[in-house]
Amino acid sequence: MSHKGSIVDEMFNSFGRAIFRGVACVISLVFRIVSQKDRVRVIVYRDDGDILLVKNRFSRQEWALPGGGVNRNESYEQAAVREVLEEVGLKIHNLRYLGKANSHESYAKFSVRVFAAHASNCDIKCNFEIMEARWLNMNYLPGEYYALYANKRQ
């Protein structure tokens, strides 16, 4: 009986992932149609040089940077700080603007403002958007952000 239960659970999980992917595709199309401000992504690093990467429910990339949309009357810097706090529960310091990039994490490319920031507290608390978060070395950084970060590291 437990074997049947595990098959049903697996089918349910697969169905749930397919629904999330479908919703992500529709959201991506809406972003393409509706012009809006650039989104933000933050390369959060700690003292040993590792960076924080997340598995987002709505991303097609395996590992992505924390970040998101910019609220009305909010600066890009404020959005970067808010998004990191909301998604992974970290307060960041020494926020630096690195440049602009085109994100490949969605089904439609979109423009993002990329920041780097230091995290002194590394205790991650993921919200509902984030399935997993890990401190990984820089080799896991998505390609579209690598040059921005490598050229402006201190």
Side-chain angles (χ1 to χ4, degrees):
M1 189 69 167
S2 67
H3 179 66
K4 254 187 179 177
S6 66
I7 292 172
V8 171
D9 289 344
E10 186 60 36
M11 287 176 28
F12 222 32
N13 287 337
S14 296
F15 180 71
R17 283 193 299 272
I19 293 295
F20 275 122
R21 297 276 183 212
V23 169
C25 188
V26 170
I27 289 171
S28 295
L29 291 174
V30 169
F31 285 138
R32 180 177 280 178
I33 294 168
V34 178
S35 65
Q36 64 174 17
K37 283 177 117 175
D38 292 341
R39 298 172 67 75
V40 296
R41 293 293 177 266
V42 184
I43 301 171
V44 181
Y45 60 91
R46 59 184 189 185
D47 291 335
D48 65 4
D50 282 353
I51 58 172
L52 180 67
L53 294 170
V54 298
K55 286 187 180 180
N56 190 309
R57 290 190 194 283
F58 305 110
S59 175
R60 65 184 188 141
Q61 285 181 325
E62 184 171 352
W63 290 106
L65 294 174
V70 180
N71 293 332
R72 185 179 302 241
N73 298 323
E74 183 178 47
S75 71
Y76 292 109
E77 292 80 4
Q78 290 168 327
V81 171
R82 177 185 51 76
E83 283 290 341
V84 171
L85 184 60
E86 284 179 2
E87 290 185 357
V88 292
L90 294 179
K91 290 185 179 181
I92 54 176
H93 312 282
N94 303 329
L95 186 71
R96 293 180 291 129
Y97 177 67
L98 299 180
K100 210 168 173 181
N102 288 318
S103 175
H104 301 285
E105 68 192 65
S106 181
Y107 293 93
K109 291 181 185 175
F110 54 89
S111 182
V112 295
R113 305 282 174 115
V114 184
F115 294 87
H118 179 259
S120 51
N121 175 7
C122 301
D123 186 25
I124 301 167
K125 297 172 191 78
C126 298
N127 76 358
F128 73 96
E129 290 177 56
I130 307 302
M131 295 186 302
E132 184 179 356
R134 281 193 201 163
W135 293 101
L136 298 168
N137 70 43
M138 194 172 126
N139 296 331
Y140 288 90
L141 185 64
E144 62 265 31
Y145 309 120
Y146 192 89
L148 284 174
Y149 187 57
N151 292 336
K152 296 195 178 182
R153 283 179 74 185
Q154 290 183 355

